């Protein structure tokens, strides 16, 4: 767990350039956390010119290379779709699909699934869509962890470790299954709820935070009207008009 005093959080990018505010102010923060989904824009201007989207993505990769200890790049469902060659909403572009996949594969060591920090007195776990207890229960059936707590394993970066092994068959099959569990809320049929990259905002209704009251989860993925508390201890900061969020001692959950 990293200890930080000020942090910048970048919700789902989807080809937009709003993230550059974090770059401009990077010297004033301890860490910049991108919540994933760098590609597959929703705006017509970018849809009509994929080079804009690609250039934006490469700039983010370069920022990570320039500030490897300060910039955190999390993987979202769109990103996992390219990496593991799984279908997602806008991944139908042939040559561009292959090019995007190439960049994820070539730079896989730059990406993570989770980031765990302490911001003053708050412990925060960042992921793209959040970790639902129902998803964890499904994943547990495939894992042999003995008496080890899956909570502690995840906080220690279990999925960060696994994603680096995505190209090894025994790990790849597990990752394809575990990460591509998509619940009915997102049109899926292979899981009771969404995974760490697929959990929908509606799936949190009536659910408790898997990590309890001591650890907050901060997620993106949902394009809500504004930052929203999904359940006690879980906050979505993605919105239809995303912006970089700066948290310090004024952090309010």
């Amino acid at each position: 767990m990293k200890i930080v005093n000020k942090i910048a959080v970048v919700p789902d990018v989807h080809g937009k350039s709003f993230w550059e505010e974090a770059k401009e102010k990077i010297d004033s923060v301890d860490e910049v956390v991108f919540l994933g989904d760098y590609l597959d824009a929703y705006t017509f201007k970018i849809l009509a010119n994929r080079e804009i989207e690609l250039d934006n993505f490469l700039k983010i990769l370069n920022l990570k290379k320039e500030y490897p200890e300060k910039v955190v790049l999390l993987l979202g469902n769109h990103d996992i779709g390219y990496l593991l060659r799984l279908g997602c909403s806008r991944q139908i572009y042939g040559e561009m699909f292959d090019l995007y996949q190439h960049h994820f594969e070539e730079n896989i060591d730059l990406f993570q699934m989770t980031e765990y920090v302490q911001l003053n007195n708050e412990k925060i776990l960042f992921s793209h869509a959040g970790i639902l207890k129902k998803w964890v229960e499904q994943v547990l059936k495939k894992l042999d962890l003995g008496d080890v707590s899956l909570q502690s394993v995840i906080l220690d970066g279990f999925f960060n470790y696994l994603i680096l092994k995505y190209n090894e068959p025994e790990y790849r099959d597990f990752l394809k299954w575990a990460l591509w569990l998509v619940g009915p809320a997102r049109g899926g049929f292979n899981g009771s709820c969404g995974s760490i990259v697929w959990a929908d905002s509606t799936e949190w209704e009536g659910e408790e935070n898997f990590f309890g009251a001591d650890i907050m989860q901060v997620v993106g993925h949902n394009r809500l009207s504004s930052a929203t508390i999904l359940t006690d201890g879980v906050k979505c900061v993605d919105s239809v008009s995303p912006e970089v969020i700066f948290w310090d001692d004024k952090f309010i959950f």
Side-chain angles (χ1 to χ4, degrees):
M1 178 176 63
K2 297 179 184 176
I3 298 176
V4 295
N5 294 311
K6 187 172 183 179
I7 194 167
V9 184
V10 183
D12 304 27
V13 173
H14 285 300
K16 294 183 177 180
S17 60
F18 72 91
W19 64 271
E20 292 184 352
E21 182 182 7
K23 178 180 179 179
E24 294 167 0
K25 298 179 179 179
I26 197 164
D27 291 332
S28 68
V29 299
D30 298 314
E31 190 168 83
V32 178
V33 179
F34 286 78
L35 296 181
D37 279 4
Y38 307 94
L39 303 166
D40 298 338
Y42 292 96
T43 60
F44 178 77
K45 177 181 178 181
I46 301 175
L47 284 171
N49 185 354
R50 286 291 169 185
E51 293 302 322
I52 296 175
E53 181 175 80
L54 176 59
D55 182 63
N56 194 59
F57 182 42
L58 294 179
K59 287 179 179 177
I60 293 172
L61 293 179
N62 286 335
L63 182 66
K64 169 66 175 177
K65 293 174 182 177
E66 185 177 355
Y67 297 92
E69 301 301 320
K70 183 173 279 193
V71 175
V72 174
L73 303 182
L74 300 185
L75 290 166
N77 55 308
H78 289 255
D79 314 317
I80 293 294
Y82 286 115
L83 184 64
L84 299 180
R85 297 199 71 87
L86 297 164
C88 198
S89 58
R90 299 186 182 279
Q91 295 165 7
I92 54 175
Y93 303 111
E95 183 178 338
M96 292 304 290
F97 184 105
D98 293 337
L99 181 58
Y100 289 162
Q101 184 194 39
H102 165 74
H103 285 298
F104 278 111
E105 287 186 327
E106 188 176 60
N107 296 284
I108 187 59
D109 60 318
L110 302 182
F111 293 96
Q112 301 174 204
M113 298 300 303
T114 61
E115 175 70 351
Y116 183 35
V117 306
Q118 179 172 320
L119 177 61
N120 295 305
N121 294 320
E122 303 283 359
K123 295 178 181 177
I124 309 170
L125 180 69
F126 294 96
S127 65
H128 179 65
I131 296 171
L132 283 158
K133 183 179 179 180
K134 290 180 180 178
W135 175 66
V136 172
E137 289 173 346
Q138 293 179 81
V139 171
L140 272 174
K141 296 176 183 178
K142 295 276 187 175
L143 297 175
D144 182 15
L145 296 177
D147 296 327
V148 176
S149 164
L150 190 56
Q151 289 186 358
S152 62
V153 167
I154 292 173
L155 294 175
D156 287 341
F158 175 67
F159 283 99
N160 296 341
Y161 165 78
L162 280 190
I163 201 67
L164 294 176
K165 292 180 170 290
Y166 80 97
N167 211 26
E168 298 179 25
E170 64 271 31
Y171 293 103
R172 191 179 185 88
D173 289 345
F174 171 77
L175 286 168
K176 278 189 171 184
W177 172 81
L179 298 181
W180 222 248
L181 285 172
V182 185
R186 290 277 174 150
F189 54 85
N190 62 341
S192 62
C193 68
S195 74
I196 187 175
V197 296
W198 271 110
D200 186 73
S201 59
T202 61
E203 294 176 322
W204 291 96
E205 295 174 5
E207 296 294 321
E208 295 181 356
N209 181 2
F210 175 65
F211 297 95
D214 294 334
I215 298 173
M216 312 295 183
Q217 291 196 60
V218 174
V219 307
H221 183 57
N222 290 283
R223 300 187 77 232
L224 302 174
S225 58
S226 61
T228 302
I229 301 292
L230 302 180
T231 191
D232 287 345
V234 181
K235 184 172 186 177
C236 174
V237 296
D238 190 26
S239 68
V240 293
S241 299
E243 59 183 8
V244 180
I245 300 162
F246 294 91
W247 281 329
D248 50 21
D249 59 344
K250 298 181 179 64
F251 173 76
I252 300 175
F253 200 87

